[in-house]
Amino acid sequence: MERFKVLVVDDEDDFRETIVKRLRGRNLDTTGVASGEEALKVMAQESFDVVVLDVRMPGMDGIEALKEMKKRWPLTEVIMLTGHASVESGIQGMQLGAFDYVMKPVPLDELLDKMRQAYERKKIQEGKF
Amino acid sequence: MDKGHLQKLRWEIVATIIGFSVVPLLLLGAVFYHEFSSSYHAKVRESLRTLVDNRRGALDLFLEERVSQLVTLAHTHTLETISEENYLNKVFNIMQARSRSYMDLGVIDEDGNHLAYVGPYYSLLKGVNYKGEEWFNAVMAQGIHISDVFLGFRKVPHFIIAVLVRERQRIWILRATIDSDIIENIVRAAWIGKKGDAFIINRENILQTSPRFSGTLLGPPATPDFSKAVGTLVEELSHAGEKSLYGAAPLSSHRRWVIVVQEDPAEQLSPLLSARLLGLVIGLFGIALIVTGAWFSSQAMMRELLEMERKKAASEHMAIQSSKMAALGKMAAGIAHEINNPLAVIGEKAGWIKDLLKEEDISKSPNFQEFADAVAKIEYHVLRAKKITHRLLSFGRRMEPVKEQVDVNQVLDETIDFLENEARYRSIDIQTDLAPDLPTITSDASQLQQVFLNIINNAIDAIGKNGLIQIKTRYMPKHAQIAIEISDNGPGIPKEYLDKIFDPFFTTKEVGKGTGLGLSISYSIVENLGGRMMVASQEGEGTTFTIYLPAK
């Protein structure tokens, strides 16, 4: 399994820290940040293949962060993580260029599948250019 | 509205209708009766007055004729001629030939001596001297005198007319006796009805004719005293406990006599009484009609009112139900979100433990299996909780339904296909009666399918084993609606649950078997699609869900 770089953006510390540990355990180069602003800051310093982005966060919310990411790093794939009645926002995210959305709580295997598919697509997209 | 209040309202309506109809009716009746009665009374009095005047006129005419006949006779003869009895007899016979009003005729000198006499009492009266008689003095004083009725020497009621003649140095008197029967006959013509009476009294209130009821000749009448009457008068007076109508008039030819006519008012007013009776009957009939009308119209009103109350209650119930849905939907979505995050954390922590269990040498630990089982259970129940929160989210979600052309019959067929195996396995027969003329409607097929699936699934669960599910569709062009009826012959829904079955989380299934969201989600889906969902259930007989959808 190819190793790719993942950024997890979620303000729920327990969730973020655990999922980062588990993804790292699955041999993924994983970074965790707690807000949209932080994510953009980190992404400006190093590039990521897949971003798992929570929709609802204090400060800059997921949709805004998504817009900014897609503007600046169009090839980075984003998976929206929705924790509330926001299937609509998930769909909206997809319209804005997100790869897919998953609803919390999500079994890690399911999330991993989506991340791999996203990474596949990124590679295809990169090949085109 | 409670029964007592309605009953009170009904009585108020009845009372108002009766009041507003009966009062004018009674008022009208009273006014008409009063007018009719007073004019009838006036008419009765007037006719009595006419009668009295008429009788008085007849009497006057009679007496005046007699007086003028005697005056003419007296003044066209000398005492010598008239006191010749043969001649007097001839004259008397001529007078009697025309009318038999005279009994006799006599000539009297100024000293009261009877000079000549013609009549049936010759022997009795020939030698009589009248000097002491009252009438003799009266005629000497007045020239002409009509006497009261008296019995005289012959003990027969009569009265006399005497005329004084001054012939040069001599004075003489012509006197005629009048049979009072003639006067009586004239007066009797005024006896009206069974109780009417008429008679003449003199100024001393002594009867001059024989009355029918009110006393005897030459005695006082059994009536009020009219002897001092001046002109014609008509009065209603009580006498000896009986009310009578009296008319009285003094004669003009004989000022000492007053004719009195008595009438029984009851008899005279009997047409009025029968009119009153008729009016009373019509009035009572009218009142009965009004009361009946009021009763029936108020009954109809009450029915209408109750129907309105019922409809109002039903629509209020629906409004409450849908606002409850909206509020609970919002709340459910909020709660689901708040729960999802901790669930995600729990899930991840469990996943982390699972990951760790794989590493190192923990598998050798005697409790390894216990750890693994516990973690698996945590993950399992996190997923179970997630199912509930996700259903809650879909209930709270206010997604705009897709607008597409939907053939409801086809959606039902597909849904039934989906459930047929399960039904067959439980020997439940699903029968359909789908209207062939059902128009396609603008709706959301997958949401509708979710609703149908839910209800049919519930029906299957309710029946358990061996039963019948009937699915009917109908087109109602009048209301631009289609109706989908799903009935089962299961145990039915207890009355106390009927109000709650659409409430979120209400379930009668065991814990873990149902979330209590199926029907509430179905309900809000149908509402979102612009339709209505109703339930009717009879315990022991089954349940019918009816869904109405707009067909435009």
Side-chain angles (χ1 to χ4, degrees):
Chain A
M1 159 87 209
E2 219 177 323
R3 193 184 155 92
F4 52 90
K5 288 189 74 175
V6 179
L7 177 65
V8 177
V9 189
D10 197 309
D11 61 319
E12 183 80 50
D13 297 341
D14 287 336
F15 178 78
R16 187 186 67 246
E17 284 161 12
T18 315
I19 205 165
V20 165
K21 276 194 273 186
R22 294 187 75 194
L23 290 174
R24 281 181 185 154
R26 277 159 184 76
N27 203 25
L28 290 177
D29 184 356
T30 310
T31 311
V33 292
S35 71
E37 292 93 339
E38 236 177 293
L40 293 172
K41 219 182 282 169
V42 175
M43 284 173 83
Q45 285 158 14
E46 50 183 309
S47 76
F48 290 90
D49 298 308
V50 176
V51 177
V52 177
L53 179 61
D54 190 21
V55 173
R56 207 160 96 159
M57 286 181 296
M60 182 185 250
D61 75 7
I63 295 293
E64 280 174 74
L66 171 69
K67 280 186 200 161
E68 193 60 28
M69 287 172 192
K70 276 289 154 186
K71 206 165 75 189
R72 289 161 66 180
W73 306 281
L75 288 178
T76 302
E77 293 295 344
V78 179
I79 294 170
M80 306 298 291
L81 197 55
T82 70
H84 62 117
S86 57
V87 179
E88 287 93 336
S89 60
I91 291 169
Q92 195 192 351
M94 285 176 73
Q95 282 164 349
L96 289 168
F99 175 76
D100 204 347
Y101 68 93
V102 290
M103 280 168 82
K104 277 189 193 169
V106 59
L108 190 69
D109 292 345
E110 205 178 290
L111 182 62
L112 270 172
D113 277 349
K114 288 238 158 81
M115 284 161 71
R116 283 189 194 113
Q117 285 164 17
Y119 177 61
E120 292 300 318
R121 193 168 87 156
K122 183 176 179 259
K123 280 201 295 183
I124 292 167
Q125 299 284 343
E126 278 172 340
K128 278 183 185 168
F129 292 97
Chain B
M1 212 181 283
D2 62 297
K3 267 257 149 60
H5 185 76
L6 272 182
Q7 208 54 36
K8 192 174 156 247
L9 185 69
R10 179 172 184 179
W11 282 114
E12 277 170 12
I13 291 169
V14 169
T16 308
I17 294 175
I18 291 176
F20 277 94
S21 324
V22 169
V23 168
L25 186 74
L26 290 180
L27 222 61
L28 199 71
V31 168
F32 272 136
Y33 179 73
H34 180 256
E35 284 299 306
F36 184 63
S37 152
S38 66
S39 72
Y40 199 84
H41 271 100
K43 192 193 141 233
V44 166
R45 294 168 81 97
E46 194 48 51
S47 78
L48 179 57
R49 178 180 292 272
T50 310
L51 182 68
V52 171
D53 281 343
N54 179 304
R55 285 303 91 192
R56 192 208 32 205
L59 289 167
D60 278 340
L61 190 69
F62 175 78
L63 291 176
E64 271 160 19
E65 262 181 15
R66 296 315 96 171
V67 169
S68 60
Q69 212 171 18
L70 290 175
V71 167
T72 310
L73 182 62
H75 286 274
T76 49
H77 292 84
T78 58
L79 181 62
E80 278 74 27
T81 14
I82 203 94
S83 49
E84 173 57 49
E85 278 189 345
N86 281 337
Y87 180 77
L88 191 65
N89 201 11
K90 215 165 113 194
V91 171
F92 182 68
N93 283 338
I94 292 166
M95 283 159 68
Q96 286 296 75
R98 302 292 301 166
S99 72
R100 298 212 153 262
S101 32
Y102 300 102
M103 285 175 78
D104 60 11
L105 200 59
V107 179
I108 296 125
D109 69 10
E110 59 188 306
D111 298 321
N113 299 313
H114 221 164
L115 298 181
Y117 175 80
V118 184
Y121 306 105
Y122 190 82
S123 51
L124 192 70
L125 299 177
K126 186 61 179 80
V128 170
N129 186 295
Y130 287 114
K131 186 122 191 186
E133 292 297 314
E134 193 188 332
W135 68 266
F136 182 81
N137 296 322
V139 76
M140 289 299 279
Q142 292 158 20
I144 294 172
H145 176 71
I146 305 173
S147 77
D148 284 345
V149 172
F150 59 99
L151 293 176
F153 295 107
R154 292 163 287 153
K155 308 296 174 204
V156 171
H158 64 282
F159 66 98
I160 58 130
I161 300 175
V163 176
L164 182 84
V165 182
R166 296 178 190 279
E167 192 184 296
R168 289 191 206 101
Q169 294 82 30
R170 286 181 301 183
I171 292 172
W172 56 275
I173 293 161
L174 181 64
R175 183 200 68 103
T177 306
I178 311 288
D179 187 349
S180 71
D181 277 355
I182 291 163
I183 299 288
E184 298 234 354
N185 283 338
I186 295 173
V187 172
R188 275 175 193 173
W191 291 4
I192 284 173
K194 289 195 183 95
K195 289 185 177 172
D197 204 346
F199 46 84
I200 292 173
I201 49 167
N202 68 8
R203 292 297 189 181
E204 279 82 43
N205 200 23
I206 297 300
L207 282 163
Q208 301 298 297
T209 58
S210 297
R212 203 172 174 188
F213 305 112
S214 304
T216 49
L217 181 67
L218 296 180
T223 59
D225 186 358
F226 291 103
S227 60
K228 304 294 178 288
V230 179
T232 308
L233 61 89
V234 171
E235 272 173 38
E236 192 170 332
L237 293 170
S238 286
H239 189 78
E242 268 190 74
K243 240 186 182 180
S244 288
L245 196 58
Y246 296 99
L251 300 191
S252 48
S253 56
H254 186 13
R255 310 297 303 182
R256 286 182 50 77
W257 282 5
V258 175
I259 177 166
V260 176
V261 178
Q262 183 184 4
E263 281 180 354
D264 177 14
E267 204 169 350
Q268 292 309 307
L269 295 173
S270 70
L272 182 68
L273 294 179
S274 63
R276 185 163 72 180
L277 191 70
L278 186 67
L280 208 68
V281 168
I282 291 174
L284 284 176
F285 180 71
I287 290 170
L289 215 62
I290 289 166
V291 169
T292 316
W295 182 257
F296 280 112
S297 65
S298 74
Q299 200 169 38
M301 250 187 228
M302 282 306 116
R303 253 203 310 275
E304 199 69 15
L305 208 64
L306 278 172
E307 179 62 13
M308 268 164 59
E309 283 287 318
R310 204 186 56 71
K311 279 186 179 160
K312 204 178 114 199
S315 75
E316 262 172 14
H317 180 258
M318 279 186 72
I320 287 169
Q321 184 69 19
S322 65
S323 71
K324 195 161 68 179
M325 287 281 149
L328 278 164
K330 250 185 181 165
M331 198 182 83
I335 290 171
H337 164 237
E338 295 307 330
I339 289 172
N340 273 347
N341 275 326
L343 276 181
V345 175
I346 294 166
E348 284 314 311
K349 291 292 179 198
W352 179 233
I353 295 169
K354 212 161 93 182
D355 290 354
L356 291 179
L357 285 176
K358 284 179 193 155
E359 291 170 17
E360 300 174 37
D361 233 6
I362 301 174
S363 55
K364 300 286 187 304
S365 149
N367 287 326
F368 173 77
Q369 198 51 46
E370 288 292 319
F371 284 125
D373 285 353
V375 169
K377 281 275 180 242
I378 291 171
E379 285 195 315
Y380 170 75
H381 287 285
V382 165
L383 286 181
R384 201 179 124 197
K386 175 194 160 155
K387 255 187 213 163
I388 293 174
T389 55
H390 283 203
R391 291 207 76 170
L392 269 182
L393 287 175
S394 72
F395 166 64
R397 190 169 57 204
R398 284 269 174 262
M399 258 173 77
E400 274 303 299
V402 183
K403 299 254 186 228
E404 55 189 343
Q405 288 301 303
V406 178
D407 179 348
V408 172
N409 284 346
Q410 198 190 324
V411 174
L412 279 168
D413 276 334
E414 285 169 17
T415 313
I416 294 162
D417 276 352
F418 195 68
L419 291 165
E420 212 137 49
N421 270 332
E422 171 78 8
R424 208 175 10 239
Y425 170 70
R426 300 216 212 174
S427 7
I428 292 168
D429 193 12
I430 300 182
Q431 289 178 358
T432 53
D433 174 14
L434 307 181
D437 63 336
L438 207 66
T440 57
I441 60 168
T442 309
S443 202
D444 185 324
S446 63
Q447 288 199 10
L448 278 181
Q449 187 160 42
Q450 196 188 335
V451 172
F452 299 152
L453 205 62
N454 231 318
I455 295 172
I456 299 172
N457 236 332
N458 278 349
I460 290 173
D461 281 349
I463 293 170
K465 248 182 181 183
N466 299 318
L468 176 67
I469 294 173
Q470 284 174 301
I471 299 169
K472 272 187 220 171
T473 54
R474 261 181 302 143
Y475 178 40
M476 300 182 292
K478 221 173 161 185
H479 300 93
Q481 273 182 338
I482 64 168
I484 302 116
E485 232 176 76
I486 301 172
S487 327
D488 67 63
N489 63 351
I493 301 167
K495 255 204 177 110
E496 64 267 30
Y497 291 166
L498 264 184
D499 275 355
K500 300 178 190 153
I501 58 165
F502 293 126
D503 289 357
F505 308 114
F506 179 80
T507 180
T508 53
K509 296 178 183 172
E510 327 166 15
V511 176
K513 289 278 166 61
T515 57
L517 286 169
L519 278 179
S520 57
I521 289 173
S522 299
Y523 187 94
S524 73
I525 286 176
V526 171
E527 270 220 332
N528 267 359
L529 293 174
R532 276 179 303 140
M533 179 146 105
M534 312 251 200
V535 64
S537 186
Q538 196 71 47
E539 250 184 296
E541 284 173 27
T543 305
T544 300
F545 282 90
T546 310
I547 296 161
Y548 297 94
L549 291 172
K552 269 175 219 161

